[in-house]
Amino acid sequence: MTGGIEESGIFTAIWWVIATLTVAAALLVVFLQDLVKAAMGLIGTFLGIAGLFVMLNAEFLAVVQILVYAGAVSILLIFGIMMIRDTQRGSQANSLRIPAFALGAVLVGIITFVVLDTQWNLLGEAMLTAAVQAGVEEAFSDSPPVLGGLLLREFVLPLEAAALLLTATLVGAIALVKGE
Amino acid sequence: MIGLEHFLILSAVLFAIGLYGSLTRRNAIAVLMSIEILFNAVNVAVVGVARYTTPFGLTADNVDLLLTGQVFALFIVTVAAAEVALGLAIVITMYRNQGSVEVGEANIMNH
């Protein structure tokens, strides 16, 4: 699975650019006072994560990410911001600033330690036969049919539950906003 | 060379940023936006693990299972979309009832 483009320096360079932009956009979402600008940062974060999905050979998910997040969810949030006048005067941070920062820093530290300390069972280092190797290449290069098969076989119950969840959410949201 | 560790640590950094935002923001819509960052950070981790690690007992017949992580990410996207729709409905109701979307002022259930 390794080799080819992922070994090249250009892959590394593109990864660092996308990672930096994604983190910067996420920081804008958290720190900007003007919520419309924060929503623009949120769209930037979503697009950066779609780029990361492409680098992870998950092109289908990248398209879903752009359609659902950068398209639907962000438009919904911007409508919400614009409907509520309260948001125009900005959003101050509350008194939890220092504990929350400490919590985030500790979390990143612990996760970094665990990730670097774990002996990962990597795909690139596994002893795979040629047939398995070919299957792996095929699954990642042509993922939508594989995803569809998984959704309708192994994950058919969660799929139906998700459909039910979306219906219940739709009805619930209408019932909440409609009022009496 | 970029490996699994890079993606997982990036995901942890994004998660921490989203956590900080959802704890410190006063405006309910800003909290919702921070929660979206949390969901996305988890998605990066799940898809990264699916791409770089190998399950035990991988044979040519069950190679499809490598994409389980991507299926998880699809379900997370679905749940996040439902969450933001319902969250906004609650925020709009709250704005109608008390004229404010400050999280600290949402104490109507306290009395």
Side-chain angles (χ1 to χ4, degrees), chain B residues 39-109:
Chain B
F39 277 115
N40 275 279
V42 173
N43 270 351
V44 171
V46 171
V47 179
V49 170
R51 171 67 184 76
Y52 282 103
T53 63
T54 172
F56 285 109
L58 184 71
T59 64
D61 293 329
N62 62 9
V63 87
D64 287 6
L65 291 178
L66 276 177
L67 294 192
T68 304
Q70 296 195 18
V71 176
F72 283 6
L74 277 176
F75 282 121
I76 294 175
V77 169
T78 317
V79 172
E83 176 260 344
V84 76
L86 205 53
L88 266 180
I90 293 173
V91 170
I92 288 174
T93 314
M94 182 179 152
Y95 179 65
R96 261 197 215 150
N97 286 343
Q98 55 186 24
S100 151
V101 292
E102 302 269 302
V103 200
E105 290 171 26
N107 55 5
I108 203 165
M109 306 270 266

Side-chain angles (χ1 to χ4, degrees), chain A residues 50-161:
Chain A
L52 289 176
F53 284 164
V54 172
M55 305 197 90
L56 285 168
N57 281 20
E59 288 85 2
F60 180 72
L61 265 179
V63 173
V64 168
Q65 171 87 9
I66 291 175
L67 278 178
V68 175
Y69 275 118
V73 167
S74 52
I75 295 297
L76 207 60
L77 283 170
I78 290 173
F79 265 119
I81 292 168
M82 290 178 171
M83 274 172 72
I84 294 174
R85 264 175 296 130
D86 209 34
T87 54
Q88 310 282 317
R89 62 187 152 99
S91 175
Q92 304 288 321
N94 62 15
S95 55
L96 276 175
R97 210 177 304 167
I98 293 164
F101 182 81
L103 183 65
V106 168
L107 191 76
V108 172
I110 291 175
I111 293 180
T112 307
F113 174 73
V114 171
V115 164
L116 295 180
D117 201 47
T118 306
Q119 199 68 43
W120 294 99
N121 200 6
L122 289 178
L123 202 54
E125 295 163 5
M127 297 296 185
L128 299 178
T129 61
V132 178
Q133 189 75 34
V136 170
E137 303 269 355
E138 165 114 28
F140 277 113
S141 62
D142 191 18
S143 57
V146 182
L147 283 176
L150 277 176
L151 278 175
L152 288 180
R153 266 184 251 117
E154 278 85 356
F155 293 96
V156 68
L157 196 63
L159 183 76
E160 298 301 329

